[in-house]
């Protein structure tokens, strides 16, 4: 038997995994978000024994801080980003003249990333957070990043600022996106 059930959104072009099109939950009362604060620090050590130059020790530290300004708006800060636990991309061989597309897998950029996602009619992706921290395929360390993202009324607001440690010096990257719901399935926005 091959059967599917749908809770809401009977339109066939909508997928059941699109939570933004699911039904509304009502009747929730007395909920408290607490402090709305999440802290994830890290320390990573490295010990290298070089030929004749002696021993080298290196200690890196940093962390992520996320604060919920309201249940729908969050401020995220990250110092000395560490992507050691980020899932590795599957190897692919490219036989076309177009570059391969790899999805974002870094937690800092995945949180609230739906605010920044949209595709133009010709299939172009104006903003892809995976480009932050890469320069022609080479990794560029992200010293500091801040993100404000969420929904206020009918508006989605997203701002990202990152300070990169490039070989040429410190580089600043900024992106902002504001969109407004016109109806259940239509939005208008600016990037």
């Amino acid at each position: 038997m091959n059967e599917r059930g749908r809770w809401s959104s009977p339109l066939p072009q909508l997928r059941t995994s699109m939570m933004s099109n699911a039904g509304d939950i009502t009747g929730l009362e007395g909920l408290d978000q607490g402090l709305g604060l999440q802290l994830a620090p890290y320390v990573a050590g490295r010990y290298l024994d070089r030929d004749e130059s002696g021993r080298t020790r290196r200690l890196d530290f940093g962390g992520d801080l996320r604060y919920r300004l309201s249940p729908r708006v969050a401020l995220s800060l990250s110092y000395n980003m560490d992507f050691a636990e980020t899932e590795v991309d599957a190897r692919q061989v490219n036989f076309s003249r177009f570059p391969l597309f790899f999805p974002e897998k870094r937690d800092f950029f995945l949180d609230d990333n739906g605010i920044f996602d949209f595709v133009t009619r010709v299939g172009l992706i104006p903003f892809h957070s995976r480009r932050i921290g890469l320069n022609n395929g080479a990794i560029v360390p992200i010293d500091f990043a801040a993100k404000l993202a969420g929904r206020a009324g009918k508006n989605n607001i997203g701002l990202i600022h990152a300070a990169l440690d490039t070989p040429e010096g410190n580089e600043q990257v900024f992106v902002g996106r504001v969109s407004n719901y016109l109806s259940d399935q239509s939005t208008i926005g600016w990037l």
Side-chain angles (χ1 to χ4, degrees):
M1 180 188 224
N2 192 6
E3 182 178 328
R4 283 190 183 181
R6 294 179 82 138
W7 176 32
S8 159
S9 302
L11 301 174
Q13 70 268 23
L14 299 177
R15 297 186 306 265
T16 57
S17 61
M18 300 172 86
M19 293 306 294
S20 62
N21 297 318
D24 293 330
I25 298 175
T26 59
L28 300 176
E29 297 175 7
L31 300 176
D32 183 21
Q33 73 174 12
L35 291 177
L37 192 63
Q38 294 175 332
L39 177 63
Y42 83 89
V43 175
R46 184 180 302 174
Y47 176 79
L48 301 171
D49 192 3
R50 309 225 178 203
D51 299 337
E52 299 170 12
S53 62
R55 298 176 185 155
T56 303
R57 293 182 184 146
R58 181 174 172 189
L59 186 66
D60 283 335
F61 64 92
D64 296 335
L65 177 69
R66 184 174 170 93
Y67 178 64
R68 286 247 170 233
L69 300 170
S70 74
R72 299 177 122 188
V73 179
L75 174 65
S76 301
L77 304 172
S78 183
Y79 173 73
N80 196 13
M81 283 188 172
D82 177 42
F83 302 118
E85 295 185 20
T86 302
E87 182 183 343
V88 178
D89 294 318
R91 286 192 174 244
Q92 298 180 28
V93 178
N94 187 7
F95 291 113
S96 73
R97 61 185 174 155
F98 303 106
L100 295 173
F101 180 82
F102 293 101
E104 180 63 76
K105 295 181 180 180
R106 302 174 293 180
D107 287 338
F108 179 84
F109 295 107
L110 283 176
D111 290 337
D112 300 319
N113 74 337
I115 291 172
F116 298 95
D117 288 347
F118 71 100
V119 179
T120 63
R121 295 188 94 176
V122 293
L124 296 175
I125 301 173
F127 171 71
H128 184 47
S129 62
R130 182 75 182 252
R131 296 178 189 137
I132 298 174
L134 290 176
N135 185 8
N136 295 325
I139 297 172
V140 177
I142 301 174
D143 290 339
F144 175 79
K147 177 169 64 170
L148 177 68
R151 186 170 179 185
K154 287 188 163 191
N155 298 309
N156 287 327
I157 302 163
L159 305 168
I160 295 177
H161 175 262
L164 309 174
D165 185 16
T166 64
E168 296 82 29
N170 197 353
E171 182 178 319
Q172 305 293 318
V173 177
F174 178 81
V175 65
R177 168 116 167 105
V178 177
S179 62
N180 184 292
Y181 286 97
L182 300 175
S183 68
D184 288 341
Q185 297 180 24
S186 300
T187 61
I188 185 169
W190 301 267
L191 180 66

